[in-house]
Amino acid sequence: MIDDITLGYLILLFPLITFVVNGLFLGNKCAKAAAIFAVLCNGLAFAAAGTLAFHYFSSDFAPQKAILFDHTFIPFIGDLVARIGMLVDPLSVMMLVVVTFISFMVNIYSIGYMREDRAAGRFFALLSLFSFSMLGLVVATNLFQMFIFWELVGVSSYLLIGFWYHKPSAVSASKQAFILTRFADSFFLLGIVLVSYVVGSFDFSTLNSLSLIDFQKDFINLGLVTVSKSEALVLGSILIFTGGWGKSAMFPMHIWLPNAMEGPTPVSSIIHSATMVVAGVYLVARLFPFFAICDNALTLIMWVGAFTMVFAAVIACTQKDIKRILAYSTLSQLGYMMFALGACKIGQVVAVTGWTASTFHIFTHAFFKCSLFLIAGSLIHQVGTNDLDAMGGLGKKMKLTYACTLISILAISGIPPFSGFFSKDEIILAAFQGHHYVVFGLALLTSGLTTFYMFRLFFLAFHGAPRHEGVKAGHVHEDFAMTLPIAILAIPALASGFAAQPLFEQFFIPGQLNVPQLVKLDHAEWLPFVAVGIAVVALVIAWLLYASPWAKVKRALDESNRSGIYKVIYHKFYFDEMYYAVVRQFIFGGIARVARAFNDYVIEGLLAFTVWFVHKLGDLVRFAQAGYLPFYLGTLIVGVLLWRFFGQLPL
């Protein structure tokens, strides 16, 4: 029997070995062998994670924390030591299962999706690097380790988004994702430096056990101002959250995520389901006790999440690119998860129901969102375009895909008994119990918008008359390698909600908090009925507009038949244009141009003058030693005259 420590190493090693072997050997020689090796290793990693999860949750030890291994990485001054280890608790074990399972499914799917791609070997290598990075992030025992893998996730996602580097749009999207997330990460790093300097530790266990009272009497000089250490910790919490703000693409740092759809669809699936984009939510959940003591940090988190939730859902209602609809849907669902964590703060006390609901939604969202992205890839593979205008009538040609899509859409819409109902209901309940009634209303509104835009996609893609010549001619079929993972993912999309709810209620708590907790919470038995009622109304509206006998689909898709507000929303409130104006006109055209001129005319000018001066000096020395008599006589006369006038000597 393999012990848990060995399982911990194996979970990390399988994807790392896949990256090395495929990257150095198999990738360039045989893409098919690279694909099989990647599927095999990722399957073994999932089996190891599943075994570890079974051992943990079936033992009497859960929900306590344990560190399976811990190695010193860099010793700093004093007790400040950077370590590489593996933390095991309900949150990290859940993420291990989710990440390895999603990676396994995406690798299987990629066999069919990347079959004709000549660079498929490189793709499977990069996919495993991404999985390894994400696994290293979720098992981190401290902020330093998390930041290392956090950056590795950023680098590997940059390589995957820009995988088709011959496409300018893919290169632009990868650079945009890299720049925006690095911008946020710079604040994250500042936060780590500040907090670790004040506390003297990177460890999550130390940070999550702090009390601000212990730091109120000591002060720290931040260069411009001197503040108490407790105030420095509050500032550090905001800086650390900014890293998660960018990684989870919260407003206004959201624009990189929809544009990242330029990458291959399996990349979109793995990035937007359970991995990179939930890293920010995971960071807040991991450091929840620390954020809870930092004054209004949780309130900020709640409002950032709530606004992103509504903002993205509104945009998703108008898009025609099915991958962009799913991308904005992901932003909206991330907003749900983020605001649920922030909604735990109720005045000066905390209720942890939002924390449990948020982590539960990470779990359920991973399955139905991964499934929806893989379905989108299958549709694009058959139709040859992302545009809903060219789809329609696919339900009769792709019956299994149709059924799986319906399951996933019912799940994300929060319709019982599908998985999303249980987690989303808990989130909305947390907002109500926290007396955040505005956020509560926004959550209900977004629930209706989610149902509307997802069923709009469903009806326009699968129902009605075919609008694509290939579909009309019957050239559409279901690829086994691509349909198999979709069918498998439909099972947890349907059943993970009611199956896993007892597990989350029993084991998923954020740990010991150094703030007062609210134990007695309001009951709201009526809430599920209201939420489901809103979703059903939205479903009916979508059906009337896009699938009923009275629906005017052609008119609904006619771009000339749009109001001004619709056009503003369709263009995503012109945030892309604002971003490019700032980056291209201000940064590249302004700051970068001035910096280049300074470099060209000042720095390089000084270097050129120095080279010229040394060169001329060398010429003079060579000339002086050439035996030219007039030069020697002239030098003698000049020397005597200088001697006379400056040395004040008689001639």
Side-chain angles (χ1 to χ4, degrees), residues 41-354:
C41 286
N42 279 279
L44 290 172
F46 169 60
T51 307
L52 179 65
F54 177 77
H55 288 174
Y56 179 74
F57 286 114
S58 62
S59 70
D60 295 331
F61 183 77
Q64 299 178 67
K65 298 178 182 179
I67 295 178
L68 291 187
F69 54 83
D70 192 28
H71 305 288
T72 299
F73 182 54
I74 301 176
F76 293 98
I77 57 172
D79 297 331
L80 193 61
V81 178
R83 299 179 182 279
I84 297 289
M86 185 170 190
L87 175 65
V88 170
D89 68 353
L91 184 60
S92 63
V93 171
M94 180 271 287
M95 288 299 293
L96 283 176
V97 173
V98 168
V99 173
T100 53
F101 179 68
I102 296 298
S103 299
F104 183 37
M105 292 295 107
V106 170
N107 273 279
I108 295 174
Y109 180 87
S110 300
I111 293 176
Y113 190 86
M114 302 297 289
R115 187 181 291 126
E116 305 297 330
D117 198 304
R118 297 175 61 184
R122 176 167 58 89
F123 177 81
F124 283 102
L126 293 176
L127 210 57
S128 293
L129 174 64
F130 184 87
S131 301
F132 165 72
S133 308
M134 195 64 205
L135 290 169
L137 189 155
V138 301
V139 301
T141 61
N142 57 78
L143 274 175
F144 194 90
Q145 179 184 351
M146 176 176 272
F147 188 75
I148 291 173
F149 285 96
W150 186 277
E151 291 303 302
L152 205 51
V153 165
V155 171
S156 50
S157 68
Y158 164 76
L159 295 172
L160 284 168
I161 294 168
F163 178 77
W164 287 326
Y165 54 81
H166 55 276
K167 293 171 58 181
S169 56
V171 174
S172 175
S174 63
K175 286 195 296 185
Q176 187 184 61
F178 192 79
I179 291 170
L180 276 174
T181 51
R182 294 292 79 67
F183 172 75
D185 292 354
S186 61
F187 292 96
F188 186 17
L189 182 59
L190 281 175
I192 293 174
V193 172
L194 180 58
V195 171
S196 60
Y197 179 77
V198 172
V199 180
S201 175
F202 297 112
D203 291 344
F204 291 136
S205 58
T206 304
L207 297 178
N208 285 336
S209 60
L210 295 177
S211 175
L212 284 186
I213 298 174
D214 300 334
F215 296 90
Q216 287 179 342
K217 294 182 180 178
D218 298 324
F219 291 85
I220 180 173
N221 188 343
L222 297 180
L224 297 176
V225 293
T226 299
V227 299
S228 68
K229 287 189 174 181
S230 60
E231 291 171 327
L233 286 176
V234 174
L235 175 62
S237 71
I238 303 300
L239 292 171
I240 289 172
F241 168 63
T242 306
W245 194 335
K247 191 71 87 180
S248 287
M250 294 286 104
F251 177 88
M253 290 188 278
H254 65 281
I255 62 171
W256 70 264
L257 195 146
N259 293 335
M261 296 298 108
E262 293 294 337
T265 300
V267 174
S268 306
S269 179
I270 198 167
I271 288 178
H272 299 119
S273 54
T275 52
M276 179 174 169
V277 292
V278 298
V281 182
Y282 179 82
L283 171 67
V284 177
R286 171 60 65 201
L287 282 172
F288 183 81
F290 172 65
F291 283 110
I293 64 167
C294 290
D295 288 344
N296 294 317
L298 286 178
T299 304
L300 171 67
I301 292 167
M302 179 184 71
W303 283 111
V304 169
F307 186 83
T308 305
M309 169 187 68
V310 182
F311 175 78
V314 169
I315 293 176
C317 292
T318 63
Q319 299 301 299
K320 294 195 297 182
D321 183 323
I322 56 173
K323 286 179 68 177
R324 286 186 182 272
I325 293 173
L326 296 179
Y328 280 103
S329 165
T330 302
L331 286 176
S332 184
Q333 298 303 308
L334 289 169
Y336 266 109
M337 300 171 201
M338 199 67 91
F339 98 66
L341 292 169
C344 293
K345 190 86 170 184
I346 310 169
Q348 298 303 314
V349 300
V350 167
V352 298
T353 51

Side-chain angles (χ1 to χ4, degrees), residues 474-495:
H475 295 160
V476 174
H477 65 279
E478 292 179 319
D479 186 297
F480 175 75
M482 296 169 69
T483 309
L484 177 64
I486 292 172
I488 295 173
L489 282 163
I491 298 171
L494 168 64

Side-chain angles (χ1 to χ4, degrees), residues 346-632:
I346 310 169
Q348 298 303 314
V349 300
V350 167
V352 298
T353 51
W355 190 93
T356 305
S358 180
T359 53
F360 192 15
H361 202 54
I362 290 175
F363 181 72
T364 59
H365 176 263
F367 304 119
F368 56 70
K369 186 51 63 66
C370 181
S371 174
L372 286 169
F373 269 109
L374 298 186
I375 289 165
S378 292
L379 300 184
I380 295 166
H381 214 65
Q382 297 300 322
V383 181
T385 175
N386 299 12
D387 203 333
L388 278 173
D389 285 355
M391 298 185 185
L394 289 168
K396 296 178 181 176
K397 307 292 182 181
M398 306 175 72
K399 293 182 179 177
L400 183 57
T401 305
Y402 176 89
C404 295
T405 308
L406 184 59
I407 291 172
S408 296
I409 287 180
L410 288 168
I412 196 173
S413 300
I415 305 291
F418 299 91
S419 59
F421 164 75
F422 297 91
S423 55
K424 193 179 284 188
D425 184 60
E426 292 292 323
I427 288 177
I428 298 173
L429 178 62
F432 177 78
Q433 290 178 330
H435 302 168
H436 305 294
Y437 297 119
V438 175
V439 175
F440 168 72
L442 293 175
L444 286 176
L445 171 65
T446 307
S447 177
L449 292 174
T450 303
T451 305
F452 174 78
Y453 66 69
M454 289 310 305
F455 273 95
R456 172 178 174 267
L457 182 154
F458 178 71
F459 291 137
L460 287 176
F462 290 98
H463 284 245
R467 297 185 291 278
H468 187 270
E469 294 303 323
V471 181
K472 292 177 183 176
H475 295 160
V476 174
H477 65 279
E478 292 179 319
D479 186 297
F480 175 75
M482 296 169 69
T483 309
L484 177 64
I486 292 172
I488 295 173
L489 282 163
I491 298 171
L494 168 64
S496 63
F498 60 80
Q501 189 176 30
L503 193 73
F504 277 83
E505 290 178 348
Q506 181 179 356
F507 295 111
F508 282 72
I509 51 175
Q512 184 65 38
L513 300 176
N514 286 322
V515 290
Q517 291 188 55
L518 188 64
V519 178
K520 188 175 181 181
L521 299 169
D522 298 334
H523 293 285
E525 288 80 5
W526 50 270
L527 184 55
F529 298 98
V530 173
V532 173
I534 291 173
V536 170
V537 170
L539 191 160
V540 172
I541 293 173
W543 178 77
L544 288 171
L545 291 176
Y546 301 107
S548 71
W550 311 281
K552 298 178 180 178
V553 176
K554 190 174 180 180
R555 184 180 178 186
L557 294 172
D558 183 6
E559 292 188 6
S560 63
N561 183 30
R562 305 282 165 79
S563 67
I565 294 176
Y566 190 98
K567 289 178 181 176
V568 171
I569 298 172
Y570 178 74
H571 287 97
K572 296 154 278 185
F573 296 94
Y574 295 99
F575 265 92
D576 281 15
E577 287 76 7
M578 284 189 267
Y579 167 80
Y580 287 120
V582 170
V583 172
R584 293 175 180 170
Q585 303 299 324
F586 179 68
I587 297 179
F588 292 163
I591 297 175
R593 184 170 293 179
V594 171
R596 181 172 181 177
F598 181 79
N599 178 69
D600 290 347
Y601 297 106
V602 179
I603 304 298
E604 292 191 4
L606 285 173
L607 288 174
F609 174 76
T610 304
V611 171
W612 174 85
F613 180 76
V614 172
H615 181 73
K616 292 299 179 186
L617 194 62
D619 288 345
L620 183 62
V621 171
R622 283 195 297 274
F623 184 73
Q625 299 187 18
Y628 188 53
L629 183 59
F631 175 78
Y632 294 150

